[in-house]
Amino acid sequence: MTGLGQIPLWQGAGKKNMGEDAPSVEVLSHAARYLHGRPPSADVVVLESADALMPFRAEIDALAASATDRNVQFEATTLSAAMEHLQNKGDVRVALLWSEAGGAGRRLLIGLVPYLVSRGHYGAPFPVWRVWQHIHSFIGTPLMRQGYEQQALRRFLSFANARGAALVEFPLFEAEGAFGKALHEVMQADGISFRETDRHERAFLKSDLDEEAYLSAHIRKKKRKEFNRLWNRLAELGPLEFRTHDGGDNPDEWTAAFLALEARGWKGQRGTAMKMRPNERFWFEEICRAARRDGTLHCSELLLDGKPLAMLTSFRSGRGVFTFKIAFDEDYSRYSPGTLLMLKAIGAFLRDERVDWVDSCAVPGHPMIDHIWAERRTMSSMLVTTGHRFSAPLAGWVASAKRMEATARAKLRVLYDRLQGARHEQAN
């Protein structure tokens, strides 16, 4: 984690666009209100349930396809499944942000922001709006239509301000993406105070090299020899095969095998494996099934005698891939099957003509993937102030509390990694 507190906290006295012309809002609790009545015509449509999201699936997917920044977790199917299985007591809301009415009163969906409203955030009694992150979130970039980023962002900030938000938190977005650029431009133009609470890099794969050239360029010769030795030792135990596919004829077989493999490892011992938590298992099964149907599921596996030693579940989004979850058989941990799988995946991704980049979705400084994937994606988290009278001092308080929490978590992670040793080979 780097760069915290390096961006100044301005006293944006004007808040030019923050309190003017509050957007019109329509709240939908269920799909029936949309299906049996008039289509919503407000500036902001707030969806209170996964059911309410259903009539907008096509428009949300069109928005996702048009966005410069990809976020597979906010696409219609994955977002709906997460709202259905992972949210807490129905507190999540989804703000659909619409353009001004054009011909025949029609509007264009220009933004989507799932959010939570909380009080008591780090002891503060004022409402803080946060882009929603669930237990398996790896990116929080809002979906915004290309060319409309500033308009959509201003609409959401005005909406939050009009509803009394003291702060708006944008976590884990791509710092150098279109949204990050629009956020800085809007804050600077409108005199809005902000604090960056986190900035870090995570492993990323994007290269014009072929597999052999990439490995030679980015992994030391001695290390490559060691990986080859491990591969050969494994191959002595039986037929060893690396393969990729899209889930096959029955994606449920893939998800069942993956969940079983994950549950046999350290996550199963700790009780955190998805198979052991029904809501997480239902969610994972649903998104994999939908991704297979949509042609966006990407599966990689390392097989010994037809038995999976390591499995990687990934999701395509546009011309990118997010490597979501990896599991490996800890009985073979001395052979580093997870690392061997990720090394083989480099070649598979580089050869795939549909793929321009791959996001590891890993924590910063990951002990395995950081050493074999050379490129980096910079992630940022930001607190943005509103017109609330206590917004600026609250931003300073929350930013300080987050820094202390992050420091404590980092120390605990280092300690845990030391205790786990080779068991922590996999990507989280």
Side-chain angles (χ1 to χ4, degrees):
M1 184 171 55
T2 60
L4 301 187
Q6 293 182 2
I7 298 180
L9 180 64
W10 306 331
Q11 294 300 322
K15 302 283 196 301
K16 298 177 186 176
N17 294 300
M18 195 64 88
E20 299 176 6
D21 302 325
S24 58
V25 179
E26 183 166 354
V27 179
L28 300 179
S29 57
H30 301 287
R33 290 192 56 191
Y34 176 93
L35 296 173
H36 299 150
R38 63 172 178 82
S41 58
D43 298 324
V44 180
V45 174
V46 178
L47 309 178
E48 294 187 325
S49 67
D51 181 65
L53 185 144
M54 293 292 290
F56 300 97
R57 279 178 174 263
E59 289 164 305
I60 292 171
D61 285 338
L63 170 66
S66 73
T68 302
D69 297 337
R70 309 299 303 201
N71 184 345
V72 68
Q73 294 199 311
F74 289 168
E75 294 173 8
T77 297
T78 46
L79 178 58
S80 175
M83 291 181 70
E84 183 69 29
H85 300 296
L86 300 182
Q87 68 165 311
N88 183 27
K89 299 180 181 179
D91 293 333
V92 177
R93 301 290 182 264
V94 176
L96 300 181
L97 313 169
W98 302 84
S99 67
E100 302 299 331
R106 295 186 63 83
R107 293 173 180 261
L108 182 67
L109 182 61
I110 59 174
L112 176 149
V113 186
Y115 67 96
L116 281 169
V117 179
S118 62
R119 290 180 180 269
H121 200 51
Y122 293 99
F126 309 112
V128 175
W129 286 37
R130 294 178 291 150
V131 175
W132 181 41
Q133 289 187 290
H134 54 70
I135 189 171
H136 295 295
S137 290
F138 51 78
I139 190 167
T141 310
L143 291 183
M144 295 193 172
R145 188 175 294 272
Q146 185 177 14
Y148 291 83
E149 291 91 354
Q150 291 193 25
Q151 182 182 345
L153 182 56
R154 283 194 170 101
R155 181 138 291 174
F156 181 72
L157 291 175
S158 295
F159 165 53
N161 182 69
R163 293 300 177 98
L167 283 178
V168 178
E169 182 177 355
F170 295 102
L172 206 60
F173 60 88
E174 185 186 353
E176 298 168 358
F179 172 77
K181 179 181 178 182
L183 182 59
H184 278 281
E185 290 174 346
V186 166
M187 291 188 297
Q188 184 171 9
D190 298 352
I192 299 174
S193 306
F194 67 98
R195 280 289 180 99
E196 186 177 49
T197 57
D198 177 45
R199 176 174 286 254
H200 68 263
E201 294 182 334
R202 67 188 189 193
F204 194 68
L205 179 64
K206 185 177 183 179
S207 177
D208 294 327
L209 299 175
D210 61 23
E211 178 180 7
E212 184 176 351
Y214 189 91
L215 296 176
S216 296
H218 301 302
I219 301 178
R220 291 182 294 109
K221 184 176 181 180
K222 181 178 179 181
K223 202 67 177 175
R224 296 199 308 274
K225 285 185 175 181
E226 173 63 15
F227 291 137
N228 287 332
R229 185 184 68 83
L230 291 173
W231 179 274
N232 292 333
R233 285 183 60 196
L234 259 180
E236 291 172 358
L237 303 179
L240 185 61
E241 177 188 7
F242 167 79
R243 68 177 185 177
T244 63
H245 54 88
D246 60 3
D249 295 332
N250 185 358
D252 290 344
E253 292 181 359
W254 167 265
T255 56
F258 185 93
L259 291 169
L261 185 61
E262 183 190 56
R264 289 202 302 270
W266 63 271
K267 289 186 179 181
Q269 295 172 10
R270 292 174 55 188
T272 61
M274 290 186 291
K275 185 178 181 179
M276 304 172 71
R277 298 178 171 184
N279 60 324
E280 295 180 35
R281 175 168 58 86
F282 295 150
W283 165 77
F284 183 68
E285 291 170 344
E286 185 173 328
I287 63 173
C288 287
R289 195 176 297 123
R292 172 65 181 87
R293 182 194 64 226
D294 298 338
T296 57
L297 181 63
H298 188 284
C299 306
S300 306
E301 54 189 340
L302 187 64
L303 303 168
L304 178 64
D305 260 341
K307 171 188 172 183
L309 295 188
M311 304 174 73
L312 173 67
T313 301
S314 306
F315 298 100
R316 299 179 186 272
S317 183
R319 295 194 59 80
V321 175
F322 293 93
T323 63
F324 176 54
K325 289 283 184 182
I326 188 171
F328 71 97
D329 190 331
E330 294 187 7
D331 290 341
Y332 294 83
S333 60
R334 62 186 178 278
Y335 301 102
S336 300
T339 302
L340 294 179
L341 174 67
M342 296 305 291
L343 284 167
K344 289 293 184 180
I346 290 174
F349 288 131
L350 292 179
R351 289 189 297 270
D352 193 331
E353 295 182 351
R354 295 175 292 172
V355 175
D356 288 340
W357 53 264
V358 187
D359 189 334
S360 71
C361 306
V363 296
H366 192 278
M368 181 266 283
I369 196 67
D370 272 22
H371 297 290
I372 60 176
W373 287 16
E375 294 75 39
R376 296 291 181 264
R377 167 169 277 182
T378 303
M379 309 301 294
S380 176
S381 296
M382 197 82 73
L383 289 172
V384 178
T385 62
T386 67
H388 193 284
R389 61 183 298 186
F390 293 110
S391 188
L394 180 61
W397 164 260
V398 174
S400 296
K402 282 183 171 293
R403 284 198 294 272
M404 289 188 290
E405 181 184 53
T407 299
R409 285 180 180 273
K411 290 180 178 179
L412 287 173
R413 177 171 288 277
V414 169
L415 177 61
Y416 181 78
D417 286 348
R418 287 175 179 172
L419 292 174
Q420 291 295 319
R423 292 163 64 96
H424 228 294
E425 171 194 8
Q426 67 199 77
N428 268 327

